[in-house]
Amino acid sequence: MTDYLVVGSGLFGATFAHEAAKRGHHVEVIEKRDHVAGNIYTKEIEGIQVHQFGAHIFHTKMKNIWDYVQQFAEFNNYINSPVANYNGEIYNLPFNMNTFNKLWGVKTPAEAAAKIEEQKKNANITEEPTNLEEQAISLVGPDIYEKLIKGYTEKQWGRKATDLPSFIIRRLPVRFIYDNNYFSDPYQGIPKGGYTKIIEKMLDNDLIDVKLNTDFFDNKDGYLESGKKIIFTGMIDQFFEYSLGELEYRSLRFESEVKDVDNYQGNAVVNYTDAETPYTRVIEHKHFEFGKGNKGKTVITHEYPKDWKRGDEPYYPIDNKQNRSLYKKYTELAEKNNDNVVFGGRLGQYRYYNMDQTIMSALRLVKNEFGE
Ligand code: FAD
Ligand code: UDP
């Protein structure tokens, strides 16, 4: 039996710890925060599950991953349908017939497609898109780009849309049907009672010891010499003391407040897509569970994007050529020097993983480790 040290109690670390303990291995989990669950942490306030680190909607195309999470929670049938507020005008997301109708008055898919074609022609988009701005205009034309994409994207990423890779915007569907479902995945929902319970259930095994408020870097050498196999889900560049340089991250600031009303904004997620409003979204958490919570109370969170500097939470890896190449150099360093350390998760692998991809990646590691 191998002794494991899992650094980080987020979804990656907890999935791995659960599977290792199930196979009889002893696992120590250390977590620098004062709670488990990493960024999917939810906390009950006024009977409402508050997503403390940004709205989390579970969605996947992978039936095996959907089946896998069902053992840890019962999911409701929430479908994410955010709305956009552009200087007080309200539009449906993702870009679909409801959005096109409100913008241009078009009623049929043919009218909408013709309108987008006409817009693209006027914008002179012919070449293969080389950046996010060109990609967005070539998908939906300049009207939607200006009202629903440019301001939001530039706030979110802190740089010009012309300096961002095009794939970021390809995450969003463009649909010629009246359908406000933000995701195209067949499986979607929110765990009843919140995400923290999933992680607690994963870690509920006598072979797993969890230590909170424990930072790996306070005793790095000791952990490395302990003889335990280490699954590290923190930042890979920090692990190597930034010796090859810093990877870039985008950070966020969340401001939550309790409001003395039953229903504040009528939807779980409202995106503010103009450039002037300093926040990108306002979340009203009770709508993820169809209004569940104390009467006359609601909890909302404003989400402000910000630059990352050392000491801030690194919420988003910034996927571009320069960072990818630096990340590769760190993985080469890891291969050379650290046989006994595996890097996993959004920060260890420096990938913009959704929850389903995080679980899939942890289960792949389980297969590598245990061969089944
Ligand atoms: P994390 O959750 O970051 O866990 C890493 C853990 O390691 C943390 O608890 C951290 O404190 C700990 N740690 C780090 N360094 C150390 C150290 N030195 N010592 C000890 N502990 C350490 N996915 C979806 O599928 N749907 C969504 O709607 C969605 N929305 C998102 C919204 C936001 C704002 C963000 C940021 C992400 C969103 N995601 C969403 C992605 C989702 O959060 C991730 O896929 C998932 O949380 C990754 O899990 P992880 O374990 O890799 O990382
Ligand atoms: N986006 C946008 N307008 C919106 C919502 C999203 O322009 O109202 C863009 C933005 O660039 C964002 C990308 O689409 O980074 C992907 O959006 P998603 O909602 O998937 O981002 P995440 O949930 O990862 O923050």
Side-chain angles (χ1 to χ4, degrees):
M1 291 292 130
T2 310
D3 256 355
Y4 287 94
L5 173 74
V6 171
V7 181
S9 65
L11 189 56
F12 189 98
T15 303
F16 182 83
H18 175 79
E19 293 298 326
K22 212 165 89 180
R23 289 162 175 79
H25 300 274
H26 182 261
V27 189
E28 181 183 355
V29 179
I30 58 168
E31 168 56 58
K32 67 177 179 185
R33 300 185 192 179
D34 63 2
H35 58 79
V36 294
N39 289 338
I40 68 172
Y41 178 62
T42 49
K43 182 177 165 188
E44 187 172 314
I45 300 172
E46 296 290 354
I48 299 161
Q49 288 300 323
V50 175
H51 298 211
Q52 294 278 340
F53 303 102
H56 277 76
I57 300 100
F58 198 96
H59 57 97
T60 188
K61 288 187 174 45
M62 298 178 275
K63 181 163 188 321
N64 60 327
I65 300 296
W66 181 246
D67 290 343
Y68 183 81
V69 290
Q70 304 304 309
Q71 60 182 308
F72 306 108
E74 190 186 339
F75 281 70
N76 70 17
N77 60 346
Y78 175 82
I79 296 288
N80 196 32
S81 310
V83 296
N85 181 323
Y86 173 77
N87 293 327
E89 296 167 21
I90 298 291
Y91 295 96
N92 285 112
L93 294 171
F95 315 122
N96 75 88
M97 286 304 297
N98 291 309
T99 329
F100 307 144
N101 173 262
K102 177 96 187 249
L103 259 173
W104 303 312
V106 293
K107 294 182 186 66
T108 65
E111 285 167 14
K115 185 78 191 172
I116 290 175
E117 270 317 305
E118 174 197 313
Q119 289 233 325
K120 273 160 60 176
K121 212 179 274 162
N122 295 341
N124 268 331
I125 292 286
T126 45
E127 311 270 309
E128 253 313 279
T130 56
N131 59 51
L132 194 151
E133 175 169 301
E134 289 173 10
Q135 175 72 72
I137 293 175
S138 87
L139 279 175
V140 286
D143 278 3
I144 291 184
Y145 173 66
E146 291 295 333
K147 289 194 167 182
L148 301 180
I149 297 174
K150 187 173 193 291
Y152 185 98
T153 296
E154 294 187 344
K155 285 191 289 191
Q156 170 80 343
W157 295 104
R159 54 199 79 198
K160 296 263 160 250
T162 44
D163 294 334
L164 285 164
S166 51
F167 75 86
I168 292 180
I169 200 67
R170 291 199 302 265
R171 280 169 69 90
L172 301 190
V174 178
R175 294 205 192 101
F176 291 89
I177 50 176
Y178 289 91
D179 178 359
N180 298 327
N181 182 351
Y182 199 61
F183 301 114
S184 305
D185 294 342
Y187 308 104
Q188 184 172 174
I190 299 280
K192 291 181 183 172
Y195 286 93
T196 306
K197 276 195 183 156
I198 293 185
I199 300 294
E200 285 171 350
K201 204 161 172 193
M202 284 178 160
L203 297 175
D204 183 16
N205 186 312
D206 290 345
L207 289 172
I208 302 177
D209 291 325
V210 181
K211 290 198 182 76
L212 300 177
N213 303 305
T214 306
D215 192 322
F216 176 78
F217 295 106
D218 289 342
N219 183 22
K220 181 178 172 188
D221 292 341
Y223 292 123
L224 289 176
E225 285 157 17
S226 69
K228 293 188 177 183
K229 181 148 191 186
I230 297 176
I231 311 298
F232 186 83
T233 74
M235 295 153 65
I236 188 168
D237 53 347
Q238 186 183 16
F239 182 92
F240 290 107
E241 279 120 41
Y242 308 102
S243 55
L244 305 175
E246 272 178 12
L247 288 162
E248 292 177 294
Y249 302 88
R250 193 76 183 136
S251 196
L252 296 167
R253 179 165 59 86
F254 298 103
E255 277 184 13
S256 294
E257 57 191 303
V258 178
K259 293 268 186 200
D260 294 329
V261 291
D262 257 322
N263 183 3
Y264 175 76
Q265 64 180 15
N267 206 34
V269 184
V270 178
N271 290 2
Y272 285 78
T273 56
D274 62 282
E276 293 72 32
T277 306
Y279 41 86
T280 44
R281 352 184 211 207
V282 178
I283 309 301
E284 187 172 10
H285 303 267
K286 65 171 15 174
H287 297 304
F288 288 125
E289 293 196 85
F290 307 109
K292 193 169 162 283
N294 294 349
K295 214 174 157 357
K297 297 282 181 188
T298 195
V299 181
I300 61 162
T301 303
H302 287 74
E303 186 174 319
Y304 296 83
K306 64 175 198 140
D307 287 337
W308 176 86
K309 55 177 181 3
R310 286 189 201 183
D312 293 339
E313 278 300 329
Y315 289 104
Y316 294 99
I318 297 183
D319 190 343
N320 61 25
K321 252 196 213 135
Q322 173 202 325
N323 288 323
R324 230 173 288 149
S325 141
L326 181 56
Y327 167 70
K328 192 160 172 283
K329 289 190 188 131
Y330 275 117
T331 60
E332 286 159 7
L333 195 59
E335 272 163 34
K336 236 190 280 157
N337 299 329
N338 296 87
D339 281 354
N340 226 16
V341 185
V342 179
F343 295 85
R346 230 188 201 205
L347 302 174
Q349 289 170 282
Y350 197 69
R351 300 247 169 88
Y352 194 170
Y353 278 150
N354 285 324
M355 288 180 277
D356 61 332
Q357 297 166 311
T358 301
I359 295 176
M360 187 189 65
S361 169
L363 292 179
R364 203 177 291 143
L365 174 62
V366 168
K367 206 167 176 189
N368 279 347
E369 282 291 305
F370 308 115
E372 45 176 300

